[in-house]
Amino acid sequence: AFVTLWQQRQERLLRMGMLEGYWNNDQATLNQINSQLSSQYQVDLSKRHVLNTEDRVLVEHETPAAADAPADAPAEASGEAAAPATEDEGKVVHTFADEEAMKAFAEVWQQRQSVLVRMAVLKAYWDSEKSLVDQLNSRLASDYQVDVTKLYALDEERRVLIERPAPLTAQPAASVQSAAEAPPAGAAPAPGGEISPATSSPAGTASPSNQP
């Protein structure tokens, strides 16, 4: 029962790592698009923008104090680059040479919106997996007195779980396999199963480590 619980935790951590990898790839793509919008079209992503297709200009507007988007939503989600121009005052930040140039901008903006949607979906999946990992960590702590930041060895002959000291070197220790395959007292990899916050990822780094 313990091995099954631990393996469930490892599977969740592996999924979290995969989701984070996708999220980081999209973040890199988003950074490139943001850089292009800023340098090529003088777009300030903290502001609201309207594409005036009749005059072929991009108009910048101050973001309203009571924005429709939630306060914690990305500023880009409230952009209106593809919307018709309004009568509100605004500053023209870019004038397009022709229809093709305006179409190229619209495609870049739509690509950016698609990336933002994917990132939001990945974040939702990551949060769901993180919640399940937290539940598994709680069960491991309450049922087996396991601190998931430490190393453990499973001795099948004596049916005991042994807490091991942290390695002195950075070299990873050997992984302990499942109960059906494991040697009596294999060691787990280095600590790191907890999730650490990070601003450039969904919420942090997931690592399927210290696994019996």
Side-chain angles (χ1 to χ4, degrees):
F2 165 77
V3 170
T4 298
L5 189 65
W6 194 277
Q7 289 176 341
Q8 289 175 357
R9 178 177 179 273
Q10 181 179 19
E11 290 171 1
R12 298 295 180 187
L13 290 171
L14 287 170
R15 290 190 190 121
M16 289 173 70
M18 182 171 61
L19 289 168
E20 185 182 12
Y22 288 135
W23 197 95
N24 288 338
N25 286 338
D26 277 339
Q27 179 67 68
T29 300
L30 180 63
N31 290 342
Q32 293 175 1
I33 294 173
N34 288 348
S35 178
Q36 179 181 357
L37 289 170
S38 176
S39 61
Q40 187 173 346
Y41 300 103
Q42 295 74 52
V43 168
D44 179 351
L45 293 169
S46 66
K47 306 287 182 64
R48 185 172 62 92
H49 295 83
V50 173
L51 181 61
N52 185 330
T53 56
E54 183 178 348
D55 297 334
R56 293 204 303 267
V57 295
L58 184 64
V59 182
E60 177 185 286
H61 295 267
E62 292 295 333
T63 303
D68 293 335
D72 58 349
E76 52 268 26
S78 61
E80 299 179 1
T86 69
E87 297 300 326
D88 298 337
E89 292 184 1
K91 179 178 70 174
V92 173
V93 294
H94 188 81
T95 301
F96 300 95
D98 50 33
E99 293 289 334
E100 288 301 317
M102 190 167 57
K103 181 180 177 181
F105 166 79
E107 290 176 351
V108 172
W109 189 271
Q110 289 171 359
Q111 181 185 3
R112 182 173 183 274
Q113 296 302 96
S114 297
V115 171
L116 287 170
V117 170
R118 283 200 307 270
M119 291 176 70
V121 172
L122 289 169
K123 176 66 163 59
Y125 279 120
W126 195 97
D127 286 344
S128 176
E129 296 292 345
K130 174 64 164 59
S131 177
L132 292 171
V133 168
D134 288 342
Q135 294 176 25
L136 292 170
N137 288 348
S138 179
R139 285 192 58 189
L140 287 166
S142 61
D143 296 353
Y144 302 102
Q145 294 73 54
V146 165
D147 179 348
V148 294
T149 65
K150 297 182 179 180
L151 300 174
Y152 293 89
L154 182 62
D155 188 329
E156 296 181 70
E157 291 184 355
R158 294 188 293 157
R159 295 199 296 273
V160 295
L161 186 65
I162 304 167
E163 182 179 310
R164 299 171 62 100
L168 297 178
T169 65
Q171 295 180 351
S175 298
V176 180
Q177 303 173 24
S178 65
E181 304 171 343
E194 284 301 291
I195 312 304
S196 302
T199 57
S200 61
S201 63
T205 302
S207 174
S209 54
N210 58 307
Q211 311 292 329

